[in-house]
Amino acid sequence: MATVFLGTVVHTKSFSEFESFERGFLAVDDAGKIIGVGQDYHAWASSNPAHAKGLTEVQLSDYQFLMPGFVDCHIHAPQFAQVGLGLDMPLLDWLNTYTFPLEAKFSNQQFAQQVYQSVVEATLRCGTTLASYFATNHLESTLTLAREAVRQGQRALVGKVCSNCNSPDFYVETAEESVSATLAFVEGVRELGSPLVMPTITPRFALSCSKELLKSLGDIAKRFDLHIQSHISENLAEIEMVKGIFKTSYAGAYDEAGLLTNKTVMAHGVHLEDDEVALLKVRGCSVAHCPTSNTMLSSGLCDVQRLVSAGVSVGLGTDVSGGNSVSIQDVLLRALDVSKHLDFFKKQNIRGTGVAKAQDFNYDQLKYKQALYLATLGGAKALSLDQVTGNFALGKDFDALLVDVSVVEKPLRKLSVDELVEKFIYTGSDRNIVEVFVAGKRIKQGYQ
């Protein structure tokens, strides 16, 4: 139904540009496209009578606002079944003890259906309108995930995980099997016929793939112009192993296989070297910042400001189940925490040397509006889908959240626009997300 929302509307236009309309409007046509947004609805309606005709008016309360939907740039859908387990282990131990045995179970279609239905429901409940999912090595259950995203109306990139080496015997495939299943998966997703769900090429990480498999996956991505996702520079032990095997940097291993493109998002990037950051910039690759899992698995602190300053696009990822929550709002808060911790550590380290360098005391902590960009438009850009979603620019799909900060506890006074957003970011939860829209379709109504 063509609709105009009347009330507070907020979104971002860039990393440092936040735009809001108090007592504003946002108009959506019956195809789910944004046709108008701004401060003065009556002036817009007078200038656009054909568009305004027949719009159903929805009046927001003083405690409600519209914002773009959250984007999760990195989430392992099967690992939803083990959220909160094993987080006292480093990455490689955690994979072998918990993750590989769990993911091997997804050869069971009934089990896969149960978990994938639950993870899509949970992410939508938390306001994730676009997710980039890792599945498992299994073709059929990965198609189950794609079908579930289509059924529930979530926008998603879905990847069949590829791994033919350095994996346990009970959960590994040959290079030939991986390539064949990947091609079948790409075709299977296209046969679903949904513009919301697309395949993404998914080598698990460099260590789990031979050079030959990585090259074959790069060739498939190029042939079909596909998205690509994987991991990079998450853990110091992992990095040393990659260098030992590939005789180049982590980024170099992917680049030699043709896997660094302007449709590539790499999770983590905690320990990227300067030349690797420069290479990602040249290739147009993005980084999914996963502050929760980087902390939980003791991987390190990723300096988002360093990446952004270097011209690398950055979004946020829950990295379930290395991360302990499917909520991007929670990850947004963790990103702010990590930025503050980096500032503390940098200053403490400088003081410890006994040499005070004034310029080193000026680390720019991430601001909440910048973090909101990373969680919305930044994420869409990182996934090369910012032409479709991520903010409320005219012509984009209406992927949005209706937030009500009074659901749990009504504020004691009227809040400004900035205060409404700040209140939600710092104290809100999925209970405050009362409606979720994807491509103009209402997916969630009321707290569920």
Side-chain angles (χ1 to χ4, degrees), residues 22 24 61 84 105 116-117 135 139 150 242 244 259 266 272 284 309-310 321 336 346 348 362 394 412 440 446:
E22 186 176 15
S61 78
K105 295 179 181 179
Y116 288 154
Q117 177 178 333
L139 169 61
V150 171
V242 169
L259 288 166
M266 288 288 171
L272 287 169
S309 297
S321 65
L336 292 169
K346 286 176 182 288
Q348 288 171 356
N362 293 326
L394 295 181
L412 297 177

Side-chain angles (χ1 to χ4, degrees), residues 130 376-391 393 396:
L130 167 59
T376 54
L377 181 58
K381 187 175 181 181
L383 297 180
S384 302
L385 288 171
D386 54 310
Q387 75 280 8
V388 176
T389 186
N391 69 358
K396 288 190 179 183

